[in-house]
Amino acid sequence: MKLAILGLGKMGGNMARRLILGGIDVVGYDRSAETVNTLATDHGLIPAESVEDAVSKLSGQKIVWLMLPSGAPTEEQIKDLIPLLSEGDIIIDGGNSNYKDSQRRGVWLAEHGIGFMDCGTSGGIWGLENGYCLMVGATLEVAKVIEPILIALAPAADRGWAHVGPIGSGHFTKMIHNGIEYGMMQAMAEGLDLIKGKQEFNLNLAQITELWRHGSVVRSWLLDLTADALKGDQNLTSIAPYVADSGEGRWTVMESVEQGVAAPVLTSALQARFRSQDATGYSYKLLSMMRNGFGGHAVKTK
Amino acid sequence: MKLAILGLGKMGGNMARRLILGGIDVVGYDRSAETVNTLATDHGLIPAESVEDAVSKLSGQKIVWLMLPSGAPTEEQIKDLIPLLSEGDIIIDGGNSNYKDSQRRGVWLAEHGIGFMDCGTSGGIWGLENGYCLMVGATLEVAKVIEPILIALAPAADRGWAHVGPIGSGHFTKMIHNGIEYGMMQAMAEGLDLIKGKQEFNLNLAQITELWRHGSVVRSWLLDLTADALKGDQNLTSIAPYVADSGEGRWTVMESVEQGVAAPVLTSALQARFRSQDATGYSYKLLSMMRNGFGGHAVKTK
Amino acid sequence: MKLAILGLGKMGGNMARRLILGGIDVVGYDRSAETVNTLATDHGLIPAESVEDAVSKLSGQKIVWLMLPSGAPTEEQIKDLIPLLSEGDIIIDGGNSNYKDSQRRGVWLAEHGIGFMDCGTSGGIWGLENGYCLMVGATLEVAKVIEPILIALAPAADRGWAHVGPIGSGHFTKMIHNGIEYGMMQAMAEGLDLIKGKQEFNLNLAQITELWRHGSVVRSWLLDLTADALKGDQNLTSIAPYVADSGEGRWTVMESVEQGVAAPVLTSALQARFRSQDATGYSYKLLSMMRNGFGGHAVKTK
Amino acid sequence: MKLAILGLGKMGGNMARRLILGGIDVVGYDRSAETVNTLATDHGLIPAESVEDAVSKLSGQKIVWLMLPSGAPTEEQIKDLIPLLSEGDIIIDGGNSNYKDSQRRGVWLAEHGIGFMDCGTSGGIWGLENGYCLMVGATLEVAKVIEPILIALAPAADRGWAHVGPIGSGHFTKMIHNGIEYGMMQAMAEGLDLIKGKQEFNLNLAQITELWRHGSVVRSWLLDLTADALKGDQNLTSIAPYVADSGEGRWTVMESVEQGVAAPVLTSALQARFRSQDATGYSYKLLSMMRNGFGGHAVKTK
């Protein structure tokens, strides 16, 4: 079995390595020649100097796996790949694309006779060692072809990967997964914040999170990571109170609005990140101004 | 009709003036002798040099109106008043006390034969001119005695004051009023924040809030104040993004938890203020740390 | 001054009447011939039997005002109007369209030399009497032409209407207005729900809302309406616990997600409506199932 | 090592069994004689016919572990135990008491020379097999005495139990644990609700939750249970959309209000349960009424 991976960053590079370890031949291309060379030298990647070169090193039914940023980079790459591929070839988008884009791309590629699979990929930097959780949207036919690749990437042959439904449903499932992840993280952060705030008890967050890992209801992989990280400076002095958000948390909230289904926790988790990103606090200024207006309350000036 | 007011700050002082204008004799005491003297000289207050002095200047059925900070100051003052009063006299708490304290105090004072009224007072610094909105909890008997005072304080003889129920219910009603106020303010602040954020339209917040005052569904006194305030610097450059909260917003949320009734908007409005007060952002730091833990996402350092 | 109004429902019909009272000639068309006839007979509308007929009754620079449901009906109508109009004519969308649609339509119509104005219209059924609040997005040129119409519709010549910015900004401003309206309504509903839930005080909601109308911080038009409605059955026995939502509440939340700006109150208000619409309660079932799973808690069966 | 357990329900009974398996002598009493007898006959419990009897079967430094409902039952039991115990004896509250009650009881018992330990206990019905997660608040002295019991209950000798701080801190830590649990459950329920709502994909929730258990970021014990439960009827037809809440979720929200720390996710999770418990939907009726008032929108009648 052979495929090409385009994009060998944190995720793509580790996936290539896990596939090679699983006996799959992997042609790889990345904008960074150094990345390609290192993977070739140290891990057995078949290096490619360009997308064209990568495709030319495949034969028969060609399989190209994209691990690129969602949006324009993925869109452009698919556009550029079409003339290089033939009927029956398959493009897999393993990145974090919006599922509606994947649905649209599935139709678009089908017009060129090219198969498409959207593969939501979870596991982060730990996937190389533990295996990835793979949520696959595709036709039965395409899913069958890709199965050996999924088995090599997943934690085990019979688990951690699944063909969940038609094109788009893989990225949809991954989107919801990330929405839940936001909510779980926020739940944990709020709880720990309240423990920290209870100064009279002077509790040790590292001790408590480690304790909860064993036998408690909240035990989880996120807790494992949190307990591990808190073993250092519990005040997190060196970390800025700023939380980035990626597309999937936002899309999950939009999905809830489109469906007309309340998702207050997933939404609050996203909004907490927005708050962390808000350097101006204009809404707070407005509130302070209003309070002053009706109550003559003192306004805190800078 | 004659009464004593203890506490002549922003609220108490203006209330004394409105009562005097309404033909009521007002004895006043405040820790600041200067405040007392000014009100006496300029507005006809009967000045008192101490609480004892104030009470001694009343006769017959004595009425003492407290306009003090809630909590200990009000509690202490009531305690000190008991020996100075006789059976049938009346204490009114016009401040922002917790309604459970008022219920307790009603029972406590009844044991001394002293009547009690809790009077939730809304209107802020504008009450002097417009009249106050008065939410009264008391027995029918006490409410009847105080009626002329309420009429003088309210915007009109037949509106803006009401005996809503038994002792405690006045402050309860005021508490909910303030909870709603938090929610309305927050709704407005969020909407204006989104208008500000829509940079491509470069909208004028002063123009829009003024516009909404006429014929729109959101027209309200809070909007009047907001439109007025936005006539100045719309960027609110001189105002810090910090919003204080008083007891009543917190008590409203606790009431909802005790009742087991969802109040997401009143709660979110309170939490937005908490966020504005949080200088550390520890929960954000935790989230950033977790993201780094599982995704190898870059952590923004200070 | 003369214009045609297409769509004479609750909003359009009343606007036609207010314009006629203001001395404007109004040609009107509606799918319901009866509606057209009644307005013609009773209120002086110039009746039209079709869109073509309506347009043919205009002359010079033709002005067509749409009061149609947003989405497809408005889109189709604009499409059908294009061949009937000439360069320099103006279409106004006074409905609740998404501002992005309005921006797109502005560009589209400009390609045909037709002017466009998006006019967010607030005031509901009370606008006939009180005047409408009009938020206008247009070029300066178009806004100038329409000014006499706006003056006739607004509560007064110098207030209640404003040209807030370029095409799209009128509907954007109206969208935010409605988002705020959702939040204010929800704040009020939550507070009143807590008053209702405080059974020990047995409070009278009609009395309290009427009371708050005078001198309180929460006085507002929404409160006026609420106080009026609560004069009847306070238990609202005949009303189902179901709250519809229109597009604008949803779009406001999507706008906050797109901007990356937290709007927890506006969002919670929308989600409360979603909850009210959810007949199945699947998420609650899931929670009950989970509780049973880990705690052996009894599951309430239907 | 020997102790008495009072309260042998789902939690207490299984804890007794685990202790006995761990080589501890357990005297047990429960209001249900049948429960006591079964545990005695089948699992080696030393049966007691009354609290007095249970205490009398202990000797030396007596240790009594309470597994009773929080509030009055625990309070009464402690009161009744005091005359039966001597200086240096120890009472452990392993139930879900409010940490402030535990702090108060610690002081109260100390006045009688009796030691106290609050032990937050997580693990539910699975604790018998997997061990319990134990969060202990006590003096160093008391914690040292109880250590062998904690080791026998926990998943392993060196993990799953910890002396986190002074009296009260055990129940505080458990309270926060449960708050986080509410948030995690709600995050999961919301995500699954959105998957269910995406009818076009017709996704299989059992497949997806099982899939996520392997390699995904959201893998957790709650997910394990959920995946297991969803193997049956995914529509959860037999389960009512009603979610009970226990004290700890409410106390967590109150703690956040008292600390002035925003906890939107923990709060939203609690409020979702409140919503599920609300059979009347009065706030929805109010909103529907308001909409009708200003917009003439049709009110859905029952």
Side-chain angles (χ1 to χ4, degrees), chain C residues 10 125-126 181 186 205 225 229 234 236 238-240 244 272 275 282 284-285 287 289 291 293-294 296 300-301, chain D residues 10 124 126 181 186 205 225 234 236 238-240 243-244 272 275 282 284-285 287 291 293-294 296 300-301:
Chain C
K10 271 181 305 190
I125 52 173
W126 303 83
E181 173 193 311
Q186 180 69 23
L205 287 175
L225 294 170
Q234 289 191 21
L236 305 177
S238 66
I239 299 178
R275 288 273 191 227
Y282 188 67
Y284 301 145
K285 289 173 170 235
L287 290 167
M289 179 202 77
R291 283 190 92 232
F294 64 79
K300 192 172 173 183
T301 49
Chain D
K10 269 180 306 190
W126 303 84
E181 175 194 309
Q186 180 69 22
L205 287 175
L225 294 169
Q234 289 191 20
L236 306 176
S238 65
I239 298 177
V243 198
R275 289 272 191 226
Y282 188 67
Y284 302 145
K285 289 173 170 237
L287 290 168
R291 283 190 93 231
F294 63 81
K300 193 171 172 182
T301 49

Side-chain angles (χ1 to χ4, degrees), chain D residues 187-246:
Chain D
M188 221 170 275
E190 291 178 11
L192 298 181
D193 200 20
L194 290 173
I195 291 179
K196 177 102 183 150
K198 192 67 181 175
Q199 290 165 359
E200 101 186 68
F201 286 145
N202 192 27
L203 297 163
N204 182 330
L205 287 175
Q207 182 195 42
I208 288 171
T209 47
E210 176 61 33
L211 166 60
W212 284 347
R213 294 182 60 219
H214 308 285
S216 91
V217 171
V218 300
R219 61 190 191 261
S220 56
W221 191 58
L222 281 167
L223 181 64
D224 296 345
L225 294 169
T226 303
D228 192 54
L230 283 168
K231 288 192 171 65
D233 168 28
Q234 289 191 20
N235 290 318
L236 306 176
T237 314
S238 65
I239 298 177
Y242 180 98
V243 198
D245 75 281
S246 59

Side-chain angles (χ1 to χ4, degrees), chain C residues 14 26 64 70 128 169 181-182 228 281-282 287 302:
Chain C
N14 281 348
V26 182
V64 184
S70 67
L128 171 58
S169 67
E181 173 193 311
Y182 274 49
D228 191 55
Y282 188 67
L287 290 167
K302 285 192 179 174

Side-chain angles (χ1 to χ4, degrees), chain C residues 52-72:
Chain C
E52 291 74 8
D53 186 34
V55 173
S56 74
K57 285 178 168 149
L58 302 173
S59 57
Q61 186 178 25
K62 296 177 178 175
I63 299 168
V64 184
W65 187 299
L66 309 186
M67 286 307 290
L68 299 169
S70 67

Side-chain angles (χ1 to χ4, degrees), chain B residues 150-170:
Chain B
L150 299 173
I151 288 173
L153 285 171
D158 63 344
R159 64 188 67 158
W161 67 275
H163 176 210
V164 298
I167 288 173
S169 66

Side-chain angles (χ1 to χ4, degrees), chain B residues 13-14 16-21 24 26 35-46 128:
Chain B
N14 280 348
R17 289 173 60 187
R18 189 166 173 96
L19 285 168
I20 295 164
L21 290 169
I24 312 266
V26 182
T35 298
V36 175
N37 291 338
T38 304
L39 283 165
T41 309
D42 296 355
H43 302 290
L45 184 85
I46 302 165
L128 171 58

